Amino acid sequence: MVGGGDGAFIGAIHQRAAALDGDWRLVAGAFSTDAERSRRSGERLGLSPDRVYPTFDALIAQESALPADERIDAIAIVTPNHLHAPMAIAGLNAGFHVFCEKPMAMSLAEAETIAAAATASGRHFGLAFTYSGYPLVEEARLRIARGDLGAIRLVQVEYLQGWLSLPIDTDGNKQAEWRTDPARAGLGGCLGDIGTHAFQLAEHVSGLRVETVSADLATHVAGRRLDDDVGAMLRFDNGARGLLKATQIAAGEENGLRLRIHGEHGGLEWAQMEPNTLILRWLDRPAEIVRAGGPGLDAATSALLRTPSGHPEGYIEAFANLYRAFAAAIRGESDAAAFPGVPDGLRTMAFIEAVIFNAQSDQKWTRVGSGEYE
Amino acid sequence: MVGGGDGAFIGAIHQRAAALDGDWRLVAGAFSTDAERSRRSGERLGLSPDRVYPTFDALIAQESALPADERIDAIAIVTPNHLHAPMAIAGLNAGFHVFCEKPMAMSLAEAETIAAAATASGRHFGLAFTYSGYPLVEEARLRIARGDLGAIRLVQVEYLQGWLSLPIDTDGNKQAEWRTDPARAGLGGCLGDIGTHAFQLAEHVSGLRVETVSADLATHVAGRRLDDDVGAMLRFDNGARGLLKATQIAAGEENGLRLRIHGEHGGLEWAQMEPNTLILRWLDRPAEIVRAGGPGLDAATSALLRTPSGHPEGYIEAFANLYRAFAAAIRGESDAAAFPGVPDGLRTMAFIEAVIFNAQSDQKWTRVGSGEYE
Amino acid sequence: MVGGGDGAFIGAIHQRAAALDGDWRLVAGAFSTDAERSRRSGERLGLSPDRVYPTFDALIAQESALPADERIDAIAIVTPNHLHAPMAIAGLNAGFHVFCEKPMAMSLAEAETIAAAATASGRHFGLAFTYSGYPLVEEARLRIARGDLGAIRLVQVEYLQGWLSLPIDTDGNKQAEWRTDPARAGLGGCLGDIGTHAFQLAEHVSGLRVETVSADLATHVAGRRLDDDVGAMLRFDNGARGLLKATQIAAGEENGLRLRIHGEHGGLEWAQMEPNTLILRWLDRPAEIVRAGGPGLDAATSALLRTPSGHPEGYIEAFANLYRAFAAAIRGESDAAAFPGVPDGLRTMAFIEAVIFNAQSDQKWTRVGSGEYE
Amino acid sequence: MVGGGDGAFIGAIHQRAAALDGDWRLVAGAFSTDAERSRRSGERLGLSPDRVYPTFDALIAQESALPADERIDAIAIVTPNHLHAPMAIAGLNAGFHVFCEKPMAMSLAEAETIAAAATASGRHFGLAFTYSGYPLVEEARLRIARGDLGAIRLVQVEYLQGWLSLPIDTDGNKQAEWRTDPARAGLGGCLGDIGTHAFQLAEHVSGLRVETVSADLATHVAGRRLDDDVGAMLRFDNGARGLLKATQIAAGEENGLRLRIHGEHGGLEWAQMEPNTLILRWLDRPAEIVRAGGPGLDAATSALLRTPSGHPEGYIEAFANLYRAFAAAIRGESDAAAFPGVPDGLRTMAFIEAVIFNAQSDQKWTRVGSGEYE
């Protein structure tokens, strides 16, 4: 992994996501331009010190020198945008697969150089357009692809955030700082950071291509060097019309990515903040609520699920919190969070017995745990 | 790990949850009473063959024989209920920490023998009352503990499932089969399987203890040997009144665990199917929507989060789907799912440039990707 | 009308509801035990002074003395509970139809005397179990009656209010005062006031009868003379199980009447605070959202609607607010609320023309109202 | 009233809305260009035959001839758009106040002639921009006017309908027919019919003025003569940016009018299909749910409410359904809908007594209505 040192937000997400299915193991990294910070991050991650590199070049050079069965298979690039192209190209040329954060590069021209390197190297290049990974986004795409909605007429996509409502980019917020710096973010601010997600999702799910755009960019926060608010009208290749809204100054909004697509027969709606639900509306019958794990899903969608019906993905994290607290307790950490244990077990068993005794008796009120029913 | 062989649902959840933070690594297991199935499961999980055991006893015996720094630290028991006590006690006595599925045991008396073993061994015993692990459940608990709602008057908890609406327990559904078998599930059916979750959540969050209960148990599906529907009135130790509803025959329901608690000044509501939201209602001001990652959270709650504001826990899984597809492509699997890559990257860069050109020009409609604006 | 003088809440609702379809006209009344207040109320309502009576007895006596084609057809009783029986019986005996607030009377025995009077008089007796009047409550009833859900197994009804969380009944709140006074409210407090609504709705929609009940009554506010919190387990005549919760001390709750009924094949959910939506959940297919005015409604339900699809009932009130402001302006009232008029009309016409001009031109930004496009 | 004869949708809404508060009484009308249909409509509405006119001109002429205290005060114009101007001008010139459906006229120029007539006549002219009448729309306007959100940066308004998804305008649907006929609807189709509502609401609530617009009009249904889909980017006079979407071909949508406005400190959201809720989101604290009748409302908002907290406006209609059924029963109509009466009254009283007996006894299950507890 390149980037993602302690404190970085998206790096930790990549690490957990890669670990979730056991397909990947993090074995090497150059986590920061600060060699010492890189070392500490690697240590915290339990990596062997000799594979925690002070620079990206060192990583490429030394990993390439390892025997094929020992060296890394792929590189995850989670740095600011200006490093995507040079690192991706170097990584591909060195024979590694590359999984890269979006946007792809600083400009279309630069992105095309990555494309060329990927082709030449015969290596895989992945981009973290994460929202394509939600099971019900795939369900939406499949429904449209098989014609359930008929010919598509409308595509509305919006991505509302509020975290840049104040000038935090000049108040030392690292995340905000590089995202509003043309030298590190590229041509677009909000446009590149989340406008690209909205656009990719709209084309990915609709299966259509935007032919022309009419747009309005704004920078609402004084002194900000890149756009923080995007509005655009879209015309798709089949004649469908669209609206795209992406903003980072919608004060009070969290991560409001929402897609609505309407065709001749009906429409669908998916919202990232409730990702396990897909609403289908119909011209001639009641709307349907399609749920992750529920009836009516395409097999390809079900293959993307890890939890049973009604258990939001997030259930795994809840579970993980218990495992984490349990480990902390075992390590004897003084600030270990509480976790359910013996007392909870005894109480719930007492409850089971009290309920059964009461339900089978004429006794109206039965004491829980008193044993009078044993 | 004991149990959780291929096909088991909760086993895979435990494995992923334990892996999420890097605190745990699965190194040994007796995954099935079928030695061959256990072997296959271990192989799929990438375990060393000599630590995949045919039986639980073999696991205890051989792991105990390993040097302290090589043997397992803890055992996760994800078997049907009747095995919890013997295995937990054996594990504790052998000096291992134990993390066990709920309910704790077949009866209160049996649970007390586990409690005794835990005390005697000085080892930790954890129970998978997963819902306690949700960040906003902790927020709810803290709010009540610090008196935000005033004295608690009402506690309503419900857990609605519909998956046992039909007699699938006699149609070869393994999950349903053992849960409705008194010999393996214990005294309670629905009561033990999800009623215990509802009860534990109610006491855990309210900080109160149920003193007496008046209950009604029903078995709606003919031939079923345990209850599939529970209703109960609760009286808490502070005089608060409560209702508990747990059912597995509410046809059409998924995993509807919902907790509502009201005090003198206001009430709160949390629903497992939208776990990142906590509603607080007040007598004298508008209701508030407390969100994972949003403003107003207690520091202890924030410590339980892994994703930024507005990214449902589940975002990690969406991310993991991309990593999984990426790995499958690299392994050259013919059925590898698609993942965003070069084409998505180029399209989105073209979009960025088209928007910027259009927004800065008087041109009304600008072609995306035509290059006419370069 | 009897009762419902100025300041009374339910009286004004009856008056507006009766006026809505033109079936009824309010022509006479005894609006208050305070003759002067009764007079003022009648005056405000534009009644002829000679038909505004100081007492109920005067109303009965003098209306009965009028020619058949002049006298009132029916009496609406909107007084506290203790007056329902004497007034209803007197009204029926005098040959008038009676429409009465709930609960019917102070006790079952008293209610039976009304029933006898209704039978003897051959007059109609209506009770304001208002929630039966919602179109989607009728849809729910019809769906169950025609077997869509299969045999009913579960009935959950709850009615949560918070307005009696504080001892306002002893602080001069008239509404609270009589509702908590056994002499005027009857045997039940919360039980009679809203528990009856919940119970009637549950039996009405399910088509089942509650055979036995196991209940818990509480009075959480010190000094209150009647219950303010009800919990009950229900057993229905077909074996279905139910829970009923009615409370007026759920701080922060408004008027949370919610009904959920599950059968063999699926379940339905209706909530009074979003009365135009009925959720149907199914064992074998996605849940459906049935909407007032939307596809799939029974003709009998549609007959109960006054607004087109997507216009909540409430749209009429929004409309009425404009008419009210318009009338106030015409009357030259200084505090007349604003209403849309000429300026709104001109602005919107200018907008239409600007949009059309812009959409048909290559001009990117067109000024609204400048006339440059004319 | 002009227009609104039997079968017309908006006419009946006007009639009910005007009747709701007793400020207005419908006494005269020219309900249809078909004199016989006009007569029948007047008869059904219980009007005196001599004030049901065959033509609008006859209405003006004969009402003007009546003594001042007998003639109508105001005229409600609920005809297709092309008649608004001639009728409004004639009505104003004849000295009547005019309440007119939107859009104001066929063109801005024509609207200006109405404006001139209103000024010259000194009469009031009201326009049915109904959504301004919702209590929580007023609350939203007031919150912004008093600066709660800080300077406004974003205004997003959308109005999604699906009823014109099919070519019903050529299949004899009267509503669709005139709305898509340039000769009767004017310059805009969807734009004039609902785009104007969206635009008026956006300016009304934000208190801002749209300075320039960049728009896209589409006609998705072949053969339709006017637009059925509108998209527009807006720039407001204070620099705020906006998006407006209005469409009548979003298959499956009902009447999805939704307004979202964001300022420096937070944002608000109101949706017409849940009109009693206003969501306020904040940069620095949890979002709030402001409810009709709930705490925190401005007095001016409360003055617009007719129902108590938690009773959706629509509660009045539910009530009215009971009154209507009661009247039909009294009239002896064979198809009179059922309404709650004696049986419901007796059952609920029996329930009250059973609950009280059970709650006060040790009896676990008490029969409802058996009298065993008396």
Side-chain angles (χ1 to χ4, degrees), chain B residues 59-83:
Chain B
L59 179 145
I60 292 293
Q62 297 178 47
E63 287 292 322
S64 303
L66 292 173
D69 64 343
E70 292 179 24
R71 77 170 69 119
I72 55 174
D73 298 306
I75 300 174
I77 301 175
V78 296
T79 65
N81 307 343
H82 65 299
L83 299 173

Side-chain angles (χ1 to χ4, degrees), chain A residues 216 235 241 258 358 364, chain D residues 216 235 258 358 364:
Chain A
D216 189 21
R235 284 181 167 176
R241 305 306 170 96
R258 199 160 71 108
N358 177 278
K364 184 160 184 186
Chain D
D216 190 19
R235 285 182 167 178
R258 197 160 72 108
N358 178 279
K364 184 161 184 186

Side-chain angles (χ1 to χ4, degrees), chain D residues 17-243:
Chain D
L20 202 57
D21 296 318
D23 290 321
W24 294 99
R25 202 149 62 82
L26 179 60
V27 294
F31 300 102
S32 169
T33 49
D34 168 346
E36 169 53 19
R37 181 153 164 270
S38 181
R39 194 192 57 67
R40 279 204 317 280
S41 304
E43 188 174 31
R44 184 184 50 72
L45 292 163
L47 267 53
S48 148
D50 60 339
R51 297 184 76 178
V52 180
Y53 305 97
T55 67
F56 174 71
D57 295 345
L59 179 145
I60 293 293
Q62 297 178 45
E63 286 294 322
S64 303
L66 292 173
D69 63 343
E70 292 179 27
R71 75 170 71 122
I72 56 174
D73 299 309
I75 300 174
I77 301 175
V78 296
T79 65
N81 307 344
H82 65 299
L83 299 173
H84 292 179
M87 288 178 169
I89 292 167
L92 290 163
N93 291 345
F96 300 115
H97 302 288
V98 171
F99 191 80
C100 184
E101 256 305 319
K102 40 53 54 189
M104 190 171 180
M106 298 287 278
S107 70
L108 175 57
E110 198 183 54
E112 284 163 343
T113 63
I114 299 179
T119 308
S121 68
R123 291 297 179 265
H124 289 282
F125 179 82
L127 264 173
F129 282 114
T130 314
Y131 304 109
S132 311
Y134 277 109
L136 289 190
V137 165
E138 180 62 4
E139 182 70 18
R141 193 187 66 76
L142 291 163
R143 296 269 185 159
I144 289 172
R146 68 189 198 211
D148 290 7
L149 303 187
I152 300 308
R153 290 169 165 177
L154 304 177
V155 177
Q156 297 178 82
V157 63
E158 62 183 44
Y159 199 149
L160 308 185
Q161 295 183 334
W163 70 291
L164 288 179
S165 294
L166 300 176
I168 58 173
D169 34 340
T170 55
D171 295 355
N173 177 309
K174 289 256 164 298
Q175 296 296 329
E177 195 181 308
W178 74 257
R179 279 179 171 77
T180 56
D181 172 7
R184 285 176 286 174
L187 299 168
C190 172
L191 176 60
D193 194 33
I194 62 174
T196 47
H197 273 304
F199 174 78
Q200 191 267 348
L201 190 68
E203 285 197 338
H204 175 69
V205 174
S206 70
L208 302 174
R209 286 286 171 268
V210 171
E211 213 160 57
T212 58
V213 61
S214 185
D216 190 19
L217 287 180
T219 302
H220 293 275
V221 174
R224 185 160 288 161
R225 290 169 295 168
L226 287 171
D227 63 277
D228 52 24
D229 184 37
V230 183
M233 302 188 292
L234 312 174
R235 285 182 167 178
F236 289 85
D237 51 6
N238 74 332
R241 305 304 171 96
L243 282 185

